[in-house]
Amino acid sequence: MHASLDQLIRKLARLPGLGPRSARRAVLYLLKNRDRLMVPLAQDLFDVASQVRACAECGNLDHGDKCSICLDPQRDHSCICVVEDVGDLWAMERAAVYRGVYHILGGTLSALDGRGPDDLHIDKLLRRADRLAATEVILALSATVDGQTTAHYIAERLAATSVEVTRLAHGVPVGGELDYLDDGTLAQALKARAKLVS
Amino acid sequence: MPEWQADAIIISVRPHGEGNSIVSLLTADYGRHAGLVRGGASKKMRGTVQPGNRVQASWRARLSEQLGQMQLELTQAVPARFLDSPMRLAGVASICALLEGALPEREPHAGLYAGTDALLSLIAMDDDNTGWLEGYVRWELGLLHAAGYQLDLDRCAASGETTNLAYVSPKSGAAVSQNHAGQFANRLLPLPRFLGGVACPAHDWVAGLDLTGHFLAKRVFAAHNADIPAARRRLADMVETRYKQAVDNQEAVR
């Protein structure tokens, strides 16, 4: 096998979800579809690598210094939704139910991994909330010990301001059956029960 | 082929590769024990492998000294019951971080396991958010004992008195009575009332966490050339912030 081919397989094998065997299959497939897939893919990879960068405001990935969400005047800039990473932002956008702006933290506090407040974009969030005169900060963080510890920490830091701090509800997912839920989720769902309006 | 099955408490989870996790558990018979959980980072397993959860674990390896593989079945999702309570979450994070940092691997600790299990139940039950802190300080005394450092809080190191105890020596870990503290009182650690102290100037829970925190840092973590875990410091800071204010308010009223 040619060295460049071997190098390509090795590099592809390092991607999440791929191993050496699937990387070999992908490379063979690309070579069989050289003009239709391989060259355009290489061009797209080059374009994304050279043009996409983290938004200076929220940390989202987009072209230019500021992302399209932060530049959109139709968005409510007084409402900031805090998420752990870009994948979570994309998930919220797929739902198409939120019209405010975002702030990407870059992870959660974790005593075990030695990740403290200085390793996350928390100070930047506080400065941004102040600058945008935010009225609400929504903490859309994981329902895990680390995620909720981070949420409480941010709420504590924002307590001195007039910003309303909210978090996403925890409980029964759409399509979920009570019989299959763990007791912790059920306990949270029961705590957050809401009055039925008829 | 070595293998075991046991009830366990998850104390730490680290990602391993794309979809797997290395999970560290506390069990009664096998102590702190780690193993590889295949698919531990998957959506299906993510709720199960959370620190503080109670699980039924089965471990198996080809040789006993190997990491081995674990299968976990959730028995009770403990922290999920109080995700809205910062103090209780900080308590569970501190328990897990201390166990992970202070205990040697694979040494049985039946008493500590029972104590941890009881403390988690207490934290989960306690709706007023703070009543469990006394139990927490007692649990840290138990952890010190399990790590080989027992404090002698029943009699005065100077006189042998068993009453009127008010302080603890930061060097020996022995109690000191109010009468014998004398000019050294300001160098001694206050003994909280729930541990038999008669004149604790600070809030009991703040004094209790200061007392155990001092010996955990000095005797356990310094021996490993490590600092006391950040999660434990955060819990102590939260308690101090909340109860120092309460003590200050009481004094202002007086």
PDB file of all heavy atoms in Angstrom, chain B residues 1-2 59-64 66 68:
ATOM      1  N   MET B   1     -10.906 -18.047  36.787  1.00  0.00           N
ATOM      2  CA  MET B   1     -11.102 -16.642  36.409  1.00  0.00           C
ATOM      3  C   MET B   1     -11.728 -15.880  37.589  1.00  0.00           C
ATOM      4  O   MET B   1     -12.812 -16.234  38.034  1.00  0.00           O
ATOM      5  CB  MET B   1     -12.036 -16.566  35.186  1.00  0.00           C
ATOM      6  CG  MET B   1     -12.195 -15.179  34.657  1.00  0.00           C
ATOM      7  SD  MET B   1     -13.196 -15.115  33.168  1.00  0.00           S
ATOM      8  CE  MET B   1     -12.000 -15.525  31.925  1.00  0.00           C
ATOM      9  N   PRO B   2     -11.012 -14.857  38.134  1.00  0.00           N
ATOM     10  CA  PRO B   2     -11.572 -14.139  39.287  1.00  0.00           C
ATOM     11  C   PRO B   2     -12.816 -13.334  38.905  1.00  0.00           C
ATOM     12  O   PRO B   2     -12.830 -12.690  37.855  1.00  0.00           O
ATOM     13  CB  PRO B   2     -10.446 -13.205  39.722  1.00  0.00           C
ATOM     14  CG  PRO B   2      -9.567 -13.083  38.542  1.00  0.00           C
ATOM     15  CD  PRO B   2      -9.726 -14.313  37.715  1.00  0.00           C
ATOM     16  N   TRP B  59     -18.085  -8.027  38.446  1.00  0.00           N
ATOM     17  CA  TRP B  59     -16.739  -7.777  37.912  1.00  0.00           C
ATOM     18  C   TRP B  59     -16.093  -9.091  37.518  1.00  0.00           C
ATOM     19  O   TRP B  59     -16.277 -10.109  38.192  1.00  0.00           O
ATOM     20  CB  TRP B  59     -15.903  -7.070  38.980  1.00  0.00           C
ATOM     21  CG  TRP B  59     -14.470  -6.832  38.596  1.00  0.00           C
ATOM     22  CD1 TRP B  59     -13.980  -5.790  37.876  1.00  0.00           C
ATOM     23  CD2 TRP B  59     -13.342  -7.657  38.918  1.00  0.00           C
ATOM     24  NE1 TRP B  59     -12.630  -5.907  37.729  1.00  0.00           N
ATOM     25  CE2 TRP B  59     -12.209  -7.047  38.356  1.00  0.00           C
ATOM     26  CE3 TRP B  59     -13.186  -8.853  39.622  1.00  0.00           C
ATOM     27  CZ2 TRP B  59     -10.929  -7.582  38.485  1.00  0.00           C
ATOM     28  CZ3 TRP B  59     -11.910  -9.394  39.740  1.00  0.00           C
ATOM     29  CH2 TRP B  59     -10.795  -8.755  39.175  1.00  0.00           C
ATOM     30  N   ARG B  60     -15.348  -9.053  36.448  1.00  0.00           N
ATOM     31  CA  ARG B  60     -14.680 -10.273  35.984  1.00  0.00           C
ATOM     32  C   ARG B  60     -13.392  -9.881  35.264  1.00  0.00           C
ATOM     33  O   ARG B  60     -13.358  -8.880  34.542  1.00  0.00           O
ATOM     34  CB  ARG B  60     -15.634 -10.989  35.045  1.00  0.00           C
ATOM     35  CG  ARG B  60     -15.053 -12.074  34.205  1.00  0.00           C
ATOM     36  CD  ARG B  60     -16.084 -12.531  33.204  1.00  0.00           C
ATOM     37  NE  ARG B  60     -17.072 -13.364  33.875  1.00  0.00           N
ATOM     38  CZ  ARG B  60     -17.527 -14.493  33.356  1.00  0.00           C
ATOM     39  NH1 ARG B  60     -17.118 -14.902  32.189  1.00  0.00           N
ATOM     40  NH2 ARG B  60     -18.418 -15.206  33.988  1.00  0.00           N
ATOM     41  N   ALA B  61     -12.321 -10.658  35.486  1.00  0.00           N
ATOM     42  CA  ALA B  61     -11.058 -10.418  34.780  1.00  0.00           C
ATOM     43  C   ALA B  61     -10.368 -11.759  34.564  1.00  0.00           C
ATOM     44  O   ALA B  61     -10.725 -12.762  35.190  1.00  0.00           O
ATOM     45  CB  ALA B  61     -10.160  -9.493  35.593  1.00  0.00           C
ATOM     46  N   ARG B  62      -9.399 -11.793  33.673  1.00  0.00           N
ATOM     47  CA  ARG B  62      -8.679 -13.048  33.443  1.00  0.00           C
ATOM     48  C   ARG B  62      -7.720 -13.316  34.606  1.00  0.00           C
ATOM     49  O   ARG B  62      -7.602 -14.423  35.091  1.00  0.00           O
ATOM     50  CB  ARG B  62      -7.906 -12.965  32.119  1.00  0.00           C
ATOM     51  CG  ARG B  62      -7.475 -14.299  31.556  1.00  0.00           C
ATOM     52  CD  ARG B  62      -7.035 -14.141  30.111  1.00  0.00           C
ATOM     53  NE  ARG B  62      -5.970 -13.167  29.952  1.00  0.00           N
ATOM     54  CZ  ARG B  62      -4.687 -13.404  30.206  1.00  0.00           C
ATOM     55  NH1 ARG B  62      -4.313 -14.600  30.607  1.00  0.00           N
ATOM     56  NH2 ARG B  62      -3.790 -12.461  30.045  1.00  0.00           N
ATOM     57  N   LEU B  63      -7.048 -12.244  35.057  1.00  0.00           N
ATOM     58  CA  LEU B  63      -6.164 -12.344  36.219  1.00  0.00           C
ATOM     59  C   LEU B  63      -6.624 -11.322  37.260  1.00  0.00           C
ATOM     60  O   LEU B  63      -7.113 -10.252  36.901  1.00  0.00           O
ATOM     61  CB  LEU B  63      -4.717 -12.028  35.831  1.00  0.00           C
ATOM     62  CG  LEU B  63      -4.097 -12.928  34.763  1.00  0.00           C
ATOM     63  CD1 LEU B  63      -2.782 -12.346  34.273  1.00  0.00           C
ATOM     64  CD2 LEU B  63      -3.869 -14.329  35.325  1.00  0.00           C
ATOM     65  N   SER B  64      -6.434 -11.613  38.526  1.00  0.00           N
ATOM     66  CA  SER B  64      -6.981 -10.731  39.562  1.00  0.00           C
ATOM     67  C   SER B  64      -6.361  -9.338  39.546  1.00  0.00           C
ATOM     68  O   SER B  64      -6.985  -8.370  39.951  1.00  0.00           O
ATOM     69  CB  SER B  64      -6.813 -11.371  40.944  1.00  0.00           C
ATOM     70  OG  SER B  64      -5.448 -11.553  41.192  1.00  0.00           O
ATOM     71  N   GLN B  66      -5.639  -7.582  36.977  1.00  0.00           N
ATOM     72  CA  GLN B  66      -6.061  -6.787  35.824  1.00  0.00           C
ATOM     73  C   GLN B  66      -7.213  -5.853  36.194  1.00  0.00           C
ATOM     74  O   GLN B  66      -7.897  -6.082  37.190  1.00  0.00           O
ATOM     75  CB  GLN B  66      -6.503  -7.719  34.698  1.00  0.00           C
ATOM     76  CG  GLN B  66      -5.332  -8.439  34.046  1.00  0.00           C
ATOM     77  CD  GLN B  66      -5.789  -9.379  32.958  1.00  0.00           C
ATOM     78  OE1 GLN B  66      -6.851  -9.974  33.059  1.00  0.00           O
ATOM     79  NE2 GLN B  66      -4.976  -9.506  31.931  1.00  0.00           N
ATOM     80  N   GLY B  68     -10.019  -5.491  34.535  1.00  0.00           N
ATOM     81  CA  GLY B  68     -11.246  -6.286  34.425  1.00  0.00           C
ATOM     82  C   GLY B  68     -12.422  -5.503  33.874  1.00  0.00           C
ATOM     83  O   GLY B  68     -12.355  -4.289  33.691  1.00  0.00           O
TER      84      GLY B  68
END
